[in-house]
Amino acid sequence: MLEVPRAKQGSFVGTAGMIVALAPSLGPTYGGICLAALNWRFNFIFTLPITIVFCIIAARFMSDNKAHRDHFNFSEYLLIVLALVALTLAVNNLSSGFASPLVWGGLLVTVISFVIYFKLAKQEGKAHIINISVLKNTGFNQGLLIYTFLQFIQISLTFVIPNLAQLGLKTSALTSVGCLLSAFFGPVMGRLLDSQGFKKLFLIGNFLAMAGILLYIIFAQKLSIALIVIFHVMFMTGFSMMYNNAMTIGLQQLEVMHIAGSPYQGQSKQVVMGSQAAFIVLFIFILLIFACVLRLIKRDKQGLVKS
């Protein structure tokens, strides 16, 4: 973002973000292939050598960076880790009820950790892990919310869809392969952002994503593999129009010096009903995204959004 001309930032972020968008779709497909042809151990057997090779390449071509480095704020780092671990434990044990010590205790530790963290992050004259002063920028916040909500929905669908296909429809996780194409839309949508602006992209994308989730809800009791692929491609097309572009628009609202510090996962009947409940929750997040899109467009009409 610091080196790319502003007029080409959408294309750049869209291309770079293609991997992030591709991974949740590719993961279930890769796992499905390993489970269908071999066993679960090969998920790791095949990826470990690739990881080692990439580490060697990175070490070989990494340039010596002698730029000034601020002191690492270890206390803030520990608070963030503590908060996220406690939150994960609390969420994973929600089935035990809020009376469970892991639930209410985890939520309490999460809140306390974040309160202390934000107090430390406001102190001046120190290096911070995240520059929270950027949260005063309304345009950046709206881009961040759209980006975060979309990521939450995508990761949730990545969990729900393969389980629905395998446990509810008794088919292979390989069915998610039909959804991979939409992950390659990132660079195209980035170019459209550079040439057309964000308003039409975000509105069309939001309606496509909303329609995809809504159709999941309507046809939850009658889903087939074909419908799953159609609905998911519809959602992912809308997702691609907004996801990386929301990051681009949000970061463009910041001063250059603040970009690096900005903050940017019968049983059959039970699976079907659980999936329907999940889709309803995700639809609520889609409505929140739509509210953020409308607010961004309103600010753009007022000349408050940089483009």
Side-chain angles (χ1 to χ4, degrees), residues 258-278:
H258 292 153
I259 289 179
S262 59
Y264 267 87
Q265 226 173 12
Q267 192 176 40
S268 298
K269 184 177 180 180
Q270 291 175 348
V271 171
V272 172
M273 295 303 295
S275 301
Q276 185 176 25

Side-chain angles (χ1 to χ4, degrees), residues 89-104:
L89 287 174
V91 172
N92 286 343
N93 288 275
L94 280 175
S95 58
S96 303
F98 283 96
S100 170
L102 283 176
V103 176
W104 64 261

Side-chain angles (χ1 to χ4, degrees), residues 61-111:
F61 293 99
M62 187 167 31
S63 60
D64 294 330
N65 187 354
K66 298 181 180 179
H68 170 72
R69 296 182 182 273
D70 291 320
H71 176 71
F72 183 74
N73 198 316
F74 197 69
S75 58
E76 290 184 8
Y77 170 75
L78 286 179
L79 285 168
I80 293 176
V81 171
L82 179 61
L84 294 179
V85 170
L87 181 61
T88 301
L89 287 174
V91 172
N92 286 343
N93 288 275
L94 280 175
S95 58
S96 303
F98 283 96
S100 170
L102 283 176
V103 176
W104 64 261
L107 294 176
L108 181 62
V109 171
T110 300
V111 172

Side-chain angles (χ1 to χ4, degrees), residues 116-178:
I116 298 174
Y117 166 78
F118 278 105
K119 286 186 177 181
L120 293 178
K122 290 181 180 179
Q123 295 179 355
E124 297 182 359
K126 293 184 178 181
H128 301 292
I129 293 179
I130 298 176
N131 180 9
I132 63 171
S133 65
V134 300
L135 298 178
K136 298 177 181 178
N137 187 308
T138 304
F140 170 78
N141 288 340
Q142 287 161 352
L144 178 63
L145 285 175
I146 294 172
Y147 183 85
T148 303
F149 289 152
L150 281 171
Q151 192 172 55
F152 175 87
I153 295 170
Q154 187 200 27
I155 293 174
S156 299
L157 285 177
T158 302
F159 173 78
V160 172
I161 297 302
N163 279 282
L164 177 62
Q166 288 179 288
L167 302 179
L169 303 179
K170 304 300 181 182
T171 60
S172 169
L174 287 170
T175 55
S176 60
V177 71

